[in-house]
Amino acid sequence: MGGADGPVRVPEFLRDHRVLTGVGLVALVLTAALAVAAHMAFSGTLPQVAAPESSKVLSADGTVIATFHGAQDRTIVPLSEISPNLATAVVSAEDRNFYREGGVSLSGIARAVLADIRSGGAAQGGSTITQQYVRNAFAQVGRQRTLWRKLKEVAAAEKLDRQYSKAKILELYLNTVYFGRGAYGAEA
């Protein structure tokens, strides 16, 4: 078989049986993950999360006299008080399909797995902003790099996506994400 220009060329990485096996395994894992996530996603609601905040000492007239930071320097603020430029930049950098997709991006996960297979290691992340928030906010999901943790993250992200608007999810994320140098959240 071929076209006017000769035989059709199969990309080099697809000729390797390990890649095809990897793609098959990814498809199997994604199918299993969807089944488990769908089952878990319809059972109950997510708990409310109270992110640790910095404490402020106020004078009688309401002026801040001192601020005490615990393990995390954070002040929770509504999305309306967060710079739209920061919100846009974070969405652009972290999850450009945030407003178009649900809590989980299967194409993002598949893309990341294929990139990892090609590079022989962890080359890309496939988590959405919603998944990143879940990983940061819900201790019961955990931080270890296991399939079970990823399945819990997927299920919780899908629940969160059904419970809250995109604006609320972005607000939650921007108030919990680590920005470096001890600063957690957009206000820190």
Side-chain angles (χ1 to χ4, degrees):
M1 297 206 144
D5 299 327
V8 175
R9 307 269 315 168
V10 176
E12 181 70 31
F13 76 92
L14 286 179
R15 285 188 248 161
D16 186 346
H17 72 281
R18 291 174 295 176
V19 171
L20 292 176
T21 302
V23 170
L25 286 173
V26 167
L28 181 64
V29 167
L30 286 176
T31 302
L34 283 174
V36 171
H39 173 71
M40 292 172 68
F42 292 105
S43 58
T45 58
L46 293 170
Q48 292 291 333
V49 175
E53 288 189 69
S54 300
S55 297
K56 294 181 170 86
V57 178
L58 306 175
S59 67
D61 67 357
T63 304
V64 176
I65 298 172
T67 303
F68 298 101
H69 308 293
Q72 299 177 354
D73 175 10
R74 179 192 336 267
T75 301
I76 305 293
V77 293
L79 187 60
S80 61
E81 292 181 23
I82 296 173
S83 164
N85 294 333
L86 174 64
T88 300
V90 167
V91 169
S92 295
E94 295 296 327
D95 184 2
R96 67 178 174 256
N97 294 319
F98 176 68
Y99 292 105
R100 291 188 298 270
E101 294 185 329
V104 176
S105 170
L106 294 181
S107 62
I109 292 171
R111 181 196 69 248
V113 168
L114 285 174
D116 292 352
I117 290 169
R118 285 186 195 144
S119 72
Q124 274 185 25
S127 296
T128 63
I129 283 176
T130 308
Q131 287 175 271
Q132 292 176 49
Y133 170 71
V134 164
R135 189 171 46 247
N136 291 334
F138 297 101
Q140 65 270 33
V141 169
R143 305 230 11 120
Q144 64 278 28
R145 295 181 68 113
T146 65
L147 179 58
W148 180 240
R149 195 249 338 137
K150 194 66 169 177
L151 291 175
K152 290 191 294 185
E153 179 185 298
V154 164
E158 284 300 317
K159 282 183 191 178
L160 195 73
D161 195 59
R162 280 193 307 281
Q163 280 185 316
Y164 296 111
S165 68
K166 289 294 188 178
K168 183 63 177 177
I169 292 169
L170 184 58
E171 176 185 300
L172 292 167
Y173 177 78
L174 290 172
N175 276 301
T176 57
V177 70
Y178 181 64
F179 282 104
R181 297 188 173 254
Y184 287 84
E187 187 67 16

